[in-house]
Amino acid sequence: MTSKNKFGRRKFLETTAMGLAGFSILYPMNSCTNNDNEECIKLGFIGLGRQAMYLLKGFINLPGVQVVAGCDVYGRKRTRFERLVKGYYSSSAKKNKVSTYLNFKDLIAREDIDAVVIATPDHWHALIAIEACKAGKDIYLEKPMTFTIKEGQKLIKAVRENNVVLAIGSQQRSDPAFQKAVKLVQNGDLGNIEKAHAYVGAPPIPYNLPAMEVPDDLDWDFWLGPLPGNIHFNDDLNPPIYHDPLTNEKVWGAWRWYKEMGGGYTTDWGAHMFDIVQWALGMDKNGPVQIAPIGDGTEYMKFTYSNGVIMTTEPFDKKMTKGVKFIGDKGWVEVSRDHFAASNTEWIPKKNIILDESPLELKIPHQINFIEAVGERKDPLVPVEIGHSSCTVCTLGNIACDLGRTLNWDPSTQTFLNDDDGKATEKLHYKYRKPWDFELDIKPILY
């Protein structure tokens, strides 16, 4: 029995106030009391690093959800996951069996798993998500949605052809502060929007970490997957953890800062901040028509939309806060994860909408939205098409910076214009390493 027909409408919003500081303050609020309960949405986690641990703390609390499996190429992270999940269900007096796997295909092949949470490095997102689509699994996928624009096109096709629910982990769309700022823009309070500043940080740099010995319990070749096999290991790429006592990662995986493996701050934070600009401007499933790189006398990228609005990566304050500022002919508004300001004090909510200082990853309305979407068979707040259009903006910025020239883009066909030498078009994808493949000859579903 699949998730497409076994779940009715459920309401999970009562859990938003639940404390999620750790596994010691969890409550048996759902009906999933044993591993055979068909009324549970059974989740498997693929990628068990730092971000997955945040997501686990949220999902495992939700009523009607049961975590039954995890997968990672690093043995010690599989062990951590298994211990935490078993500890939670044991302390909650619930029966549950949890299994772990090295190969994501083994987890996806399980018929009892309804949905997967994918929190791997970006270069694995598309391959794993497409495999999950083919198996009929619903998907919560970390941002940025894919590593390349072609991957995003193919993932849209896979989601829609297989009728699965896919939600992107763009949590800021579920945050009251960002929602308020977007509403001010869309309601016309700021007048005609002229500019948006979305500071995210720098593009990726060439890989420059020294080589280190690969840990015995890490399958480095599998970690690389479709990437070139000559990328050497360094602990910073997959930060180690230790057991007895448990010592978690002290840093985020550094693969994201290097162009061979990630998109730098452009995709890491751009997938959040550019996403908010796209949403506010009504440019979801759309995008800029011109992308100017850092250089030519400017420190910032510049994205021009067909309606004349310009988005730059310029910071809106001296602290270089990662956030967004919208500027209209009637006023402005600034928003970040811990800041909200506006030119008109009446636009600032009387009740503080920066509710607490806990990490955004520990605020769970976005995860609740995904589970509700699975139960109701509907699109979540950030479905695959929106995840793709926001991710595309980030990738276009990196391509422009990499080539050092201004690019013209057609969002409707997702092709470069006037790309006479074909260099920009080449960067829509890269050649996968065998045995991983990627069919580019199939016309993708766009918007």
Side-chain angles (χ1 to χ4, degrees):
M1 184 177 292
T2 70
S3 61
K4 293 179 178 55
N5 56 24
K6 82 179 189 181
F7 302 114
R9 182 175 178 85
R10 292 190 176 121
K11 291 299 181 184
F12 298 92
L13 294 178
E14 66 269 19
T15 63
T16 57
M18 189 186 302
L20 294 174
F23 284 88
S24 61
I25 46 174
L26 304 177
Y27 304 92
M29 296 182 64
N30 64 42
S31 60
C32 297
T33 56
N34 63 72
N35 206 53
D36 298 321
N37 192 333
E38 289 192 351
E39 289 303 310
C40 299
I41 295 175
K42 293 183 171 61
L43 283 185
F45 280 69
I46 301 175
L48 304 178
R50 190 177 186 181
Q51 182 64 15
M53 294 301 99
Y54 282 124
L55 295 173
L56 177 62
K57 289 180 181 180
F59 277 117
I60 205 168
N61 278 279
L62 299 183
V65 172
Q66 189 171 25
V67 177
V68 298
C71 172
D72 201 280
V73 296
Y74 210 164
R76 64 185 69 182
K77 294 185 178 180
R78 296 195 298 272
T79 298
R80 173 178 64 182
F81 176 85
E82 184 175 1
R83 289 182 178 182
L84 288 174
V85 174
K86 285 183 176 179
Y88 164 71
Y89 286 111
S90 176
S91 66
S92 302
K94 299 176 186 177
K95 296 179 181 179
N96 185 67
K97 181 180 179 181
V98 59
S99 302
T100 59
Y101 305 90
L102 185 152
N103 192 323
F104 68 91
K105 292 186 177 182
D106 295 329
L107 184 151
I108 289 174
R110 282 181 49 171
E111 293 185 1
D112 64 322
I113 290 178
D114 305 295
V116 295
V117 177
I118 301 174
T120 63
D122 301 347
H123 68 276
W124 267 114
H125 284 187
L127 282 171
I128 295 175
I130 290 172
E131 191 82 12
C133 288
K134 292 177 180 178
K137 312 298 185 186
D138 296 319
I139 303 161
Y140 184 98
L141 177 61
E142 265 305 315
K143 58 81 203 167
M145 192 176 90
T146 57
F147 191 36
T148 74
I149 291 174
K150 284 290 186 182
E151 287 176 338
Q153 294 171 351
K154 287 298 296 292
L155 185 49
I156 291 174
K157 182 180 177 70
V159 168
R160 295 310 177 192
E161 288 187 346
N162 292 281
N163 193 31
V164 301
V165 173
L166 184 144
I168 301 300
S170 301
Q171 302 102 317
Q172 288 180 174
R173 292 216 182 193
S174 299
D175 182 86
F178 287 96
Q179 290 175 345
K180 175 63 177 179
V182 168
K183 186 175 181 180
L184 287 170
V185 173
Q186 294 183 343
N187 286 352
D189 295 86
L190 276 60
N192 293 320
I193 301 299
E194 300 168 346
K195 294 180 181 179
H197 298 316
Y199 181 68
V200 299
I205 61 174
Y207 184 41
N208 60 8
L209 295 177
M212 297 176 65
E213 185 176 350
V214 178
D216 291 340
D217 60 340
L218 170 63
D219 189 329
W220 180 242
D221 188 69
F222 207 160
W223 187 97
L224 288 173
L227 294 177
N230 61 354
I231 299 174
H232 60 258
F233 173 77
N234 181 284
D235 261 352
D236 284 359
L237 300 181
N238 198 335
I241 64 169
Y242 303 96
H243 296 290
D244 305 319
L246 177 62
T247 303
N248 293 313
E249 301 93 334
K250 298 185 181 300
V251 296
W252 291 102
W255 50 265
R256 69 197 71 222
W257 313 131
Y258 303 105
K259 61 176 59 181
E260 293 85 352
M261 295 164 277
Y265 286 95
T266 314
T267 59
D268 195 60
W269 278 93
H272 285 303
M273 301 308 171
F274 297 167
D275 176 69
I276 294 299
V277 175
Q278 290 260 122
W279 180 25
L281 297 182
M283 288 294 170
D284 282 338
K285 305 181 184 180
N286 203 322
V289 296
Q290 190 175 81
I291 306 95
I294 296 170
D296 295 327
T298 177
E299 300 177 59
Y300 312 110
M301 299 180 200
K302 183 173 75 172
F303 302 81
T304 303
Y305 289 86
S306 59
N307 59 6
V309 177
I310 293 174
M311 176 180 72
T312 74
T313 55
E314 179 180 352
F316 61 73
D317 61 14
K318 293 182 179 179
K319 296 188 298 182
M320 303 184 80
T321 299
K322 291 180 175 66
V324 178
K325 181 174 185 174
F326 295 101
I327 303 170
D329 58 11
K330 293 182 181 179
W332 55 264
V333 62
E334 297 171 350
V335 62
S336 73
R337 294 185 178 184
D338 57 6
H339 169 79
F340 191 99
S343 56
N344 186 335
T345 56
E346 293 183 0
W347 297 341
I348 301 174
K350 291 181 175 61
K351 182 179 180 181
N352 182 16
I353 56 177
I354 308 294
L355 298 176
D356 59 64
E357 296 181 355
S358 63
L360 195 69
E361 289 82 4
L362 289 181
K363 299 174 183 178
I364 63 172
H366 207 63
Q367 297 171 45
I368 293 169
N369 173 256
F370 169 64
I371 296 301
E372 287 187 323
V374 169
E376 298 174 25
R377 307 314 305 164
K378 66 178 185 180
D379 273 341
L381 279 175
V382 190
V384 64
E385 291 87 359
I386 293 176
H388 176 59
S389 59
S390 294
C391 182
T392 294
V393 179
C394 305
T395 307
L396 290 172
N398 278 339
I399 293 174
C401 288
D402 204 31
L403 295 176
R405 72 177 193 232
T406 295
L407 303 173
N408 296 307
W409 176 253
D410 183 343
S412 64
T413 62
Q414 296 179 42
T415 56
F416 290 105
L417 306 177
N418 306 319
D419 183 31
D420 296 335
D421 62 3
K423 295 296 184 182
T425 300
E426 287 179 4
K427 293 184 177 294
L428 293 176
H429 193 57
Y430 70 98
K431 185 176 178 58
Y432 279 1
R433 182 171 65 119
K434 293 181 179 181
W436 312 105
D437 57 14
F438 190 82
E439 297 178 41
L440 294 177
D441 57 337
I442 298 176
K443 186 176 181 180
I445 296 174
L446 301 179
Y447 300 132

